[in-house]
């Protein structure tokens, strides 16, 4: 897609530190290096976000992530774990609108990556959860 920075990386029109590529995906270092080894995995096809994948492409892309994650982990003995993140929409911190999965190696709970899941469970009773459950299920389709 014209004017998409990641499509330009796929086409080698702008340089990247690519660590893996095949006909379906390209994996390259995130320029921000949130932690050392921070890598992005993207479909070569321009897909804006998770909502736009068909099942075939989703399975092809996801099938490649564990192998790339293992290589990133093996690249540095100090890597103890990894967060894999996929941001969808500006409100969810997506800034490049070509779908991508962040592989963020974790070195300790004092490294440069933080994620906060607030526990709001005391604000929901069984009825509230049931309503949410039903409303999601209604939209599940086949
Ligand atoms: P997100 O905020 O989830 O959309 O993530 C987009 C990511 O793309 C950010 O972490 C950026 O650091 C990264 N990024 C932007 N431009 C480039 C580039 N030219 N090469 C590598 N990573 C990039
Ligand atoms: Zn694109």
């Amino acid at each position: 897609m014209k004017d998409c920075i990641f499509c330009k990386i796929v086409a080698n029109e702008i340089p990247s530190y690519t660590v893996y590529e095949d006909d379906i995906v390209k994996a390259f270092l995130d320029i921000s290096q949130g932690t050392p080894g921070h890598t992005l995995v993207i479909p070569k096809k321009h897909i804006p976000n998770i909502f736009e994948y068909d099942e075939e492409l989703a399975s092809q892309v996801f099938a490649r992530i564990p192998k790339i994650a293992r290589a990133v982990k093996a690249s540095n003995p100090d890597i103890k774990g990894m967060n894999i993140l996929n941001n969808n929409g500006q409100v969810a911190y997506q800034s490049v609108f070509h779908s991508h999965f962040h592989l963020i190696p974790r070195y300790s709970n004092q490294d440069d990556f933080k994620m906060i899941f607030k526990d709001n469970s005391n604000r929901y009773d069984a009825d509230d959860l049931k309503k949410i459950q039903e409303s999601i299920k209604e939209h599940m389709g086949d």
Side-chain angles (χ1 to χ4, degrees), residues 4-50:
C4 169
I5 190 166
F6 286 177
C7 283
K8 287 182 180 157
I9 286 177
V10 168
N12 295 316
E13 287 165 18
I14 56 176
S16 66
Y17 295 91
T18 293
V19 298
Y20 177 79
E21 74 179 303
D22 60 21
D23 50 334
I24 303 293
V25 301
K26 188 163 174 115
F28 53 95
L29 298 185
D30 188 306
I31 206 72
S32 71
Q33 289 296 281
T35 65
H38 180 181
T39 297
L40 298 175
V41 181
I42 71 170
K44 286 195 164 174
K45 183 175 173 191
H46 181 88
I47 303 287
N49 54 49
I50 198 72

Side-chain angles (χ1 to χ4, degrees), residues 22-118:
D22 60 21
D23 50 334
I24 303 293
V25 301
K26 188 163 174 115
F28 53 95
L29 298 185
D30 188 306
I31 206 72
S32 71
Q33 289 296 281
T35 65
H38 180 181
T39 297
L40 298 175
V41 181
I42 71 170
K44 286 195 164 174
K45 183 175 173 191
H46 181 88
I47 303 287
N49 54 49
I50 198 72
F51 309 115
E52 303 294 331
Y53 280 81
D54 61 33
E55 287 191 5
E56 189 186 9
L57 185 63
S59 58
Q60 289 173 321
V61 171
F62 196 77
R64 285 152 170 86
I65 290 180
K67 166 177 150 157
I68 300 165
R70 279 192 293 270
V72 172
K73 185 167 186 295
S75 71
N76 185 329
D78 295 333
I79 296 174
K80 305 286 191 290
M82 184 176 289
N83 289 98
I84 298 185
L85 288 186
N86 167 235
N87 300 329
N88 297 283
Q90 208 166 11
V91 71
Y93 308 128
Q94 185 176 9
S95 63
V96 176
F97 294 89
H98 178 133
S99 177
H100 50 278
F101 296 85
H102 293 262
L103 274 49
I104 305 174
R106 297 304 305 278
Y107 296 82
S108 78
N109 53 19
Q110 305 297 311
D111 65 19
D112 287 335
F113 183 75
K114 295 269 173 296
M115 208 158 61
I116 299 169
F117 286 101
K118 209 172 156 198

